[in-house]
Amino acid sequence: MSFPWAKEYTPTNPVMKFFDEKLPLPRLVYNAVGAGYPVPRNLNYMWNFGVFAGFFLVLQIVTGIVLAMHYASDATVAFGKVEHIMRDVNWGWLMRYAHANGASFFFIVIYMHIFRGFYYSSYKAPREMVWLLGVVIFLLMMATAFMGYVLPWGQMSFWGAKVITGLFGAIPVVGEPLQVWLLGGFAPDDAALNRFFSLHFLLPFVIAGVVILHIWALHIPGSSNPTGVEVKSESDTVPFHPYYTAKDGFGLGVVLILFAIMVFFLPNALGHPDNYIEANPLSTPAHIVPEWYFWPFYAILRAFTMDFILPAKLWGVIAMFAAILLWFFLPWLDRSPVRSGHYRPLFRKFFWFGLIPAMVVLFWCGGAPAEEPYVMLSQLATAYYFLHFLVILPLVSSFEKPEPLPYSITEAVLGSDKKAVLGENTKPAT
Amino acid sequence: MIRPIAILVGLGFSIVVLLAFVTGAYTWATEETQPSAEYEFYLAPHGPEGGFQHDGPLGTWDVAQLQRGYQVYKEVCAACHSLKYVAFRDLAGLGYTEGQIKAEAASYQVPGINPDTGEDTFRPGLPTDYFPSPYPNAVAAAAANNNAVPPDLSLITKARHHGTEYVYSLLTGYGPIPEELKAEFPDFDTPPGLHFNQYFPNLNLAMAPPITADGQVTYAEGNPEPTIRQMSADVAAFLTWTAEPKLVERRQTGWPVLGFLIFATILAFLAKKQVWSSVTPRRERD
């Protein structure tokens, strides 16, 4: 499906004609990310991040497969194997630093992608399925990244695994047996390391599968855009190729420059020094912190410090999972008919002066030691986080008077939309 | 239906966390936090004056300094600290020739097997061998060191924040407890068997001062005076190399990569501009 004015794939080369008849794979690509996919002409650079995420997924899979060729998931040798990669494998240091920083960049671009979705309400009808699949991808990414961080078998690998699997121990009755079952023992050891390696290898391919569904679901209604006004006519769109391939190509160049600076000049800046100490079950690090991309959720976990009917730890665990799972319900919680935050004065204030500062505080406190004032700050930010999504978002549209929307994307870009008004190509997308 | 439930859930979470905030804030406001000597007298690590030649994005190894640092490691640190991820062959990175490396390796005794009887024995090292550990195992290391196992030094500068500076500061940071500390915390004392050092997080370090006198190591001619600071800086540089032998190679790969990416990105920008010029609204010309 697509807009009626979408260009059709017409191969002229006999080889491509042959392919198109037997297996229309080139046609699929042409319609997905080629000239056959009409895209709103007014996308800003925030719409680049989906392509960046796709790039980093591929980069992680490629570097990860090379690293797996030189790694062994045996607790007695895993740490030394990583050093072997760093010292003896040709370009091993590049592969490992690209993989470690690639994970960080994957999360940076995914967070930008998700917050783009929050601001422009990309989750709203008709794109609910795109959003739901996106949240599934994010959960899979978190699981994959968590297990990947265990593989070097450093101190933070070990103690991070112990703390995170310990969260399941907070569940009443089944918690402890569940934790033992997940780890294959009472503490992380060979059994846990082996299964984490196996799953860390598997899950990226599951992610790739869900990414295909995510893009498929996106192509049913087509991409959203900064005005939130749906495409009305051909003049509202441009073909993905060359317009957005060119724009994404430039954006990717900028991201790769930043990535190269990290990989070649600051490769350990986003890591923790303790992970260069081999795992030692008898020596607990002073501050156990997960990787930076988990900090907001770790801050939410630690914000619940008081028993209230349920034990504090259980509150923390439930809240941490709820903080992400609630994203699944956003399409039905936000009932403003206007999509874009550009035209929602009240929502926009809550977004910039509420949600964004709360996230900054959660990021900052999640990486800080569990001391005051960090705990108090993360408690305030956690309270706002839940209020924002579960109370403010469902209610704000009742009090808000949206600003006037442009008639069409063309009008938003050109100042008028004579072509669309004249009724040419005004047949809505099917 | 979903909205009322969501509002209740959202209020529930925020009320519980705000209750925790109120109790936490009350405790914080009413309870005096005890000042601690560790908090007030800990010093952040710093490098030697003038820094290291490998500092900064254009830094390169000072091979002579690395060789001096290796000598300090060999004559001082190696008595207690292993270097298990470094092989003798890696010494090529310090500018030693193949013959020198063979001789260096052969000067070490490494665990081996008697080819005639199959019994455990020691044999002269080969370039492919790794630096042997001073203790047969961690228990022996703990027993010989008052229960504090000396850490392996291969990765020490990456296993601490600002590791190179940390090593330098720790080695030069021993001294008596300052008068101000004694005045402020009369109860503070360094337990027997530990050593006062303001660059160690709890101020009391198990390691005895390893570099205690100028000239403790005799440097070959043409090298700087082996002062405590010089030897500490040299061994800190050497341990930076052992932790990240590809450091300079990495940066030197990075510059052309960056150059290429910047060039490619400029081209991509111009391409993008040209592609979009046909649909980008132009300013009206009068």
Side-chain angles (χ1 to χ4, degrees):
Chain A
M1 102 92 243
S2 182
F3 297 108
W5 56 86
K7 280 189 207 160
E8 207 195 333
Y9 181 62
T10 42
T12 46
N13 183 308
V15 177
M16 298 312 272
K17 270 186 181 160
F18 174 86
F19 253 104
D20 193 44
E21 278 169 23
K22 319 296 170 191
L23 179 73
L25 192 60
R27 180 177 294 266
L28 182 76
V29 174
Y30 184 89
N31 290 336
V33 290
Y37 178 43
V39 187
R41 63 190 291 174
N42 60 334
L43 302 190
N44 59 35
Y45 279 102
M46 286 307 296
W47 264 260
N48 280 26
F49 285 85
V51 166
F52 299 163
F55 172 83
F56 280 106
L57 175 63
V58 172
L59 182 85
Q60 289 305 86
I61 290 177
V62 171
T63 52
I65 285 173
V66 176
L67 290 171
M69 291 173 187
H70 301 280
Y71 172 78
S73 57
D74 178 323
T76 53
V77 300
F79 187 84
K81 278 288 180 183
V82 174
E83 280 312 304
H84 162 69
I85 290 169
M86 292 298 290
R87 288 154 197 271
D88 298 329
V89 174
N90 292 330
W91 299 100
W93 58 269
L94 179 58
M95 288 295 135
R96 174 160 174 265
Y97 280 152
H99 196 71
N101 286 284
S104 285
F105 270 70
F106 199 174
F107 273 95
I108 291 170
V109 299
I110 278 293
Y111 277 124
M112 297 295 283
H113 195 56
I114 292 172
F115 277 79
R116 194 284 316 272
F118 287 152
Y119 184 75
Y120 293 103
S121 312
S122 301
Y123 45 77
K124 274 186 194 161
R127 294 180 188 82
E128 301 96 319
M129 189 54 74
V130 187
W131 177 259
L132 298 182
L133 290 165
V135 180
V136 170
I137 293 169
F138 183 65
L139 290 171
L140 286 168
M141 273 179 68
M142 294 183 92
T144 310
F146 160 67
M147 289 189 279
Y149 194 56
V150 178
L151 302 184
W153 208 239
Q155 275 287 68
M156 278 300 161
S157 300
F158 178 90
W159 290 96
K162 193 159 164 128
V163 168
I164 300 296
T165 54
L167 299 180
F168 291 93
I171 301 168
V173 191
V174 295
E176 290 200 20
L178 183 65
Q179 186 190 350
V180 171
W181 180 73
L182 285 171
L183 281 175
F186 294 100
D189 206 342
D190 250 3
L193 184 57
N194 272 303
R195 67 188 54 180
F196 283 5
F197 183 43
S198 174
L199 291 172
H200 183 72
F201 205 113
L202 168 72
L203 287 184
F205 297 97
V206 178
I207 292 175
V210 185
V211 165
I212 289 171
L213 299 183
H214 185 69
I215 297 171
W216 187 7
L218 171 70
H219 280 63
I220 306 293
S223 300
S224 66
N225 71 83
T227 65
V229 176
E230 290 294 315
V231 168
K232 287 200 168 81
S233 70
E234 187 171 356
S235 69
D236 288 347
T237 66
V238 290
F240 189 87
H241 179 73
Y243 291 96
Y244 285 106
T245 41
K247 191 166 180 173
D248 290 336
F250 165 59
L252 190 61
V254 175
V255 172
L256 282 180
I257 289 170
L258 299 175
F259 182 60
I261 290 172
M262 293 305 292
V263 168
F264 290 102
F265 299 98
L266 299 160
N268 293 309
L270 297 170
H272 197 290
D274 276 13
N275 230 27
Y276 281 109
I277 304 170
E278 190 169 3
N280 182 354
L282 300 177
S283 152
T284 316
H287 303 296
I288 301 173
V289 284
E291 284 280 76
W292 70 266
Y293 35 78
F294 293 137
W295 286 354
F297 304 103
Y298 194 58
I300 290 175
L301 170 78
R302 294 193 301 183
F304 289 81
T305 51
M306 200 179 74
D307 295 344
F308 182 79
I309 306 171
L310 302 174
K313 189 181 174 191
L314 186 57
W315 271 111
V317 172
I318 295 171
M320 183 180 72
F321 285 110
I324 302 170
L325 295 180
L326 67 84
W327 294 355
F328 277 119
F329 300 96
L330 290 190
W332 299 281
L333 291 178
D334 179 357
R335 58 177 178 175
S336 168
V338 176
R339 289 193 188 84
S340 170
H342 269 320
Y343 304 102
R344 300 186 59 189
L346 207 50
F347 166 85
R348 197 167 58 217
K349 286 196 183 75
F350 281 114
F351 181 86
W352 286 116
F353 302 112
L355 184 62
I356 294 296
M359 285 309 291
V360 170
V361 168
L362 288 175
F363 258 112
W364 179 45
C365 295
E371 297 165 356
E372 302 298 0
Y374 305 113
V375 177
M376 290 186 333
L377 282 172
S378 60
Q379 284 163 338
L380 292 177
T382 302
Y384 183 79
Y385 182 93
F386 283 106
L387 287 176
H388 181 90
F389 286 113
L390 296 176
V391 180
I392 294 168
L393 201 60
L395 293 179
V396 70
S397 55
S398 317
F399 304 100
E400 180 178 62
K401 191 173 174 293
E403 286 156 14
L405 293 170
Y407 169 72
S408 70
I409 295 168
T410 307
E411 189 191 285
V413 176
L414 299 179
S416 77
D417 189 355
K418 288 194 185 119
K419 207 172 179 190
V421 172
L422 286 173
E424 219 178 299
N425 287 326
T426 44
K427 191 168 161 267
T430 46
Chain B
M1 191 55 210
I2 183 175
R3 272 181 293 268
I5 296 174
I7 291 170
L8 284 178
V9 171
L11 287 174
F13 276 124
S14 36
I15 287 168
V16 171
V17 80
L18 286 174
L19 281 175
F21 167 77
V22 170
T23 41
Y26 180 75
T27 325
W28 187 62
T30 48
E31 275 181 22
E32 288 271 317
T33 42
Q34 291 294 321
S36 70
E38 290 84 356
Y39 185 78
E40 289 185 22
F41 285 88
Y42 169 75
L43 297 176
H46 60 84
E49 263 179 57
F52 293 96
Q53 194 183 310
H54 65 251
D55 287 343
L58 290 166
T60 52
W61 295 122
D62 178 347
V63 172
Q65 182 175 44
L66 295 186
Q67 293 192 359
R68 293 195 301 272
Y70 170 53
Q71 194 188 346
V72 175
Y73 166 76
K74 203 163 69 167
E75 294 181 23
V76 182
C77 319
C80 304
H81 290 279
S82 57
L83 198 64
K84 62 182 175 183
Y85 297 111
V86 182
F88 294 110
R89 60 184 155 82
D90 294 332
L91 294 176
L94 297 192
Y96 291 109
T97 63
E98 214 182 310
Q100 284 172 315
I101 291 170
K102 271 189 186 163
E104 188 67 31
S107 72
Y108 282 81
Q109 289 290 311
V110 300
I113 290 170
N114 184 322
D116 300 322
T117 63
E119 282 171 350
D120 287 341
T121 178
F122 285 91
R123 59 169 173 80
L126 296 168
T128 49
D129 286 319
Y130 285 78
F131 274 85
S133 178
Y135 301 105
N137 52 54
V139 178
N145 290 285
N146 206 7
N147 260 335
V149 180
D152 183 80
L153 292 186
S154 318
L155 285 162
I156 200 75
T157 54
K158 274 178 15 182
R160 301 289 184 274
H161 288 286
H162 307 286
T164 306
E165 289 75 21
Y166 170 84
V167 168
Y168 174 79
S169 300
L170 208 64
L171 290 175
T172 53
Y174 289 94
I177 299 172
E179 291 302 322
E180 308 89 79
L181 198 163
K182 280 184 186 160
E184 202 175 329
F185 301 97
D187 296 339
F188 181 88
D189 201 11
T190 300
L194 297 183
H195 308 272
F196 183 78
N197 193 320
Q198 275 180 275
Y199 296 96
F200 195 67
N202 71 8
L203 309 185
N204 294 317
L205 177 56
M207 175 169 74
I211 299 175
T212 49
D214 293 346
Q216 187 174 341
V217 174
T218 312
Y219 284 164
E221 264 194 48
N223 281 305
E225 278 297 301
T227 59
I228 293 179
R229 286 181 180 280
Q230 184 65 46
M231 288 185 284
S232 303
D234 292 349
V235 80
F238 171 69
L239 293 175
T240 309
W241 173 81
T242 64
E244 188 88 2
K246 305 289 172 68
L247 175 73
V248 171
E249 181 189 338
R250 164 158 62 73
R251 290 177 188 151
Q252 288 178 349
T253 314
W255 285 112
V257 169
L258 265 186
F260 169 80
L261 283 174
I262 289 168
F263 177 68
T265 304
I266 291 169
L267 286 189
F269 175 72
L270 296 174
K272 186 246 158 194
K273 228 178 131 182
Q274 177 152 15
V275 165
W276 280 84
S277 62
S278 58
V279 294
T280 308
R282 290 188 198 95
R283 278 199 203 103
E284 301 272 330
R285 278 184 218 141
D286 296 309

